[in-house]
């Protein structure tokens, strides 16, 4: 079975500061990894995905994440936070095979607050 | 391309009633998945449908069921509602539901059970 741990349920940064949201995963087989963002009263929007190509993945809105197999991590970063980045962020894992059809295992989420 | 559409956006039901939620996937997507989101349990997988067949199921009681139509649209039904069923129900679609295929989510249906 797969699992995801997001370190820090709340992260607060100043506008223009580095954003770092931490995600560690557990999987017995090579994983697919995703980051999603959720704004209030909305669904989840895909930020980026890792599917075993390049370990450094660039996503939308200036976000990127690096897959580190040795650390089983997939941390999300953005060099300079904007007020519009305030939202809840979810890391998710899936694997190949029939038991994984349509199934993502999500972390508990990290709420990002951006101060002016 | 239109995104995933879920209707209705909000529902209020009474314990013991049943409810049906609807989802229209992105055009060309044949896999539809359903998730329950609550503050306590987070995002939990309910089930996945592809070509009108349920291929995968999460750990939910039989009161939760779904179906998919030939045009890939999907419905989810919850019978004998309980207070604990109050949640945001999210539908997601993908091309084929395979592990590497990203899911595209709708804005959800917020169900309140009183």
């Amino acid at each position: 079975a797969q699992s995801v741990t997001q370190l820090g349920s709340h992260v607060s940064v100043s506008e223009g500061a580095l954003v770092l949201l931490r995600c560690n995963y557990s999987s017995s087989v090579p994983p697919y990894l995703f980051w999603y963002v959720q704004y209030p009263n909305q669904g989840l929007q895909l930020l980026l995905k890792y599917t075993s190509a390049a370990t450094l993945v660039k996503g939308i809105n200036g976000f990127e994440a690096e897959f580190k197999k040795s650390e089983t991590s997939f941390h999300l970063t953005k060099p300079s936070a904007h007020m519009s980045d305030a939202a809840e962020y979810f890391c998710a894992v899936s694997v190949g095979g029939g038991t994984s059809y349509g199934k993502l295992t999500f972390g508990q989420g990290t709420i990002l607050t951006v101060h002016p | 391309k239109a995104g995933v559409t879920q209707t209705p956006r909000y529902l209020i039901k009474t314990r013991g009633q049943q409810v049906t939620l609807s989802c229209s996937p992105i055009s060309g997507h044949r896999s539809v998945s359903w998730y329950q989101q609550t503050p306590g349990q987070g995002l939990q997988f309910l089930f996945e449908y592809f070509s009108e067949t349920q291929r995968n199921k999460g750990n939910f009681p039989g009161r939760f069921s779904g179906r998919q139509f030939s045009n890939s649209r999907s419905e989810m039904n919850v019978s004998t509602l309980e207070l604990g069923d109050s949640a945001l129900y999210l539908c997601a679609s993908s091309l084929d539901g395979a592990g590497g295929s990203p899911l595209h989510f709708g804005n959800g249906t917020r169900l309140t059970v009183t």
Side-chain angles (χ1 to χ4, degrees):
Chain A
Q2 303 77 45
S3 66
V4 174
T5 302
Q6 291 184 238
L7 299 174
S9 57
H10 290 79
V11 170
S12 180
V13 300
S14 299
E15 194 173 19
L18 171 73
V19 175
L20 171 60
L21 304 182
R22 300 178 187 272
C23 171
N24 287 90
Y25 70 91
S26 172
S27 176
S28 57
V29 297
Y32 302 105
L33 294 160
F34 306 83
W35 274 101
Y36 284 86
V37 61
Q38 186 176 33
Y39 298 98
N41 296 319
Q42 293 188 24
L44 279 69
Q45 179 184 8
L46 178 68
L47 282 176
L48 49 80
K49 63 177 181 178
Y50 167 77
T51 56
S52 77
T55 57
L56 182 61
V57 181
K58 293 189 183 298
I60 63 171
N61 301 338
F63 285 95
E64 64 180 36
E66 185 172 8
F67 173 70
K68 291 188 177 181
K69 183 178 178 180
S70 60
E71 299 177 9
T72 60
S73 69
F74 190 57
H75 301 332
L76 182 71
T77 61
K78 182 174 180 178
S80 177
H82 295 166
M83 297 295 290
S84 60
D85 294 327
E88 189 163 16
Y89 292 79
F90 293 92
C91 181
V93 63
S94 70
V95 297
T99 59
S100 297
Y101 286 131
K103 180 180 179 180
L104 292 175
T105 300
F106 286 89
Q108 288 298 309
T110 298
I111 296 173
L112 175 66
T113 302
V114 182
H115 297 287
Chain B
K1 223 177 201 183
V4 177
T5 303
Q6 291 188 246
T7 55
R9 285 297 309 274
Y10 301 93
L11 269 176
I12 300 176
K13 291 287 187 179
T14 304
R15 272 181 301 174
Q17 289 184 317
Q18 75 165 17
V19 66
T20 300
L21 313 181
S22 182
C23 172
S24 294
I26 291 171
S27 178
H29 285 193
R30 298 174 63 191
S31 169
V32 174
S33 303
W34 288 88
Y35 286 78
Q36 182 194 66
Q37 185 177 24
T38 60
Q41 298 299 315
L43 283 150
Q44 294 187 288
F45 171 74
L46 281 155
F47 32 65
E48 186 260 4
Y49 285 86
F50 181 88
S51 291
E52 303 178 66
T53 300
Q54 185 182 90
R55 294 192 301 183
N56 201 4
K57 188 177 187 305
N59 189 25
F60 278 82
R63 300 185 297 106
F64 292 82
S65 63
R67 60 177 176 168
Q68 187 181 35
F69 302 96
S70 59
N71 61 359
S72 294
R73 192 176 68 85
S74 177
E75 288 182 347
M76 189 192 99
N77 186 77
V78 187
S79 63
T80 318
L81 284 166
E82 301 177 359
L83 293 178
D85 297 334
S86 294
L88 181 66
Y89 289 89
L90 293 165
C91 169
S93 73
S94 73
L95 284 171
D96 57 11
S101 294
L103 301 185
H104 300 269
F105 286 82
N107 283 329
T109 294
R110 185 164 296 281
L111 172 64
T112 302
V113 182
T114 61

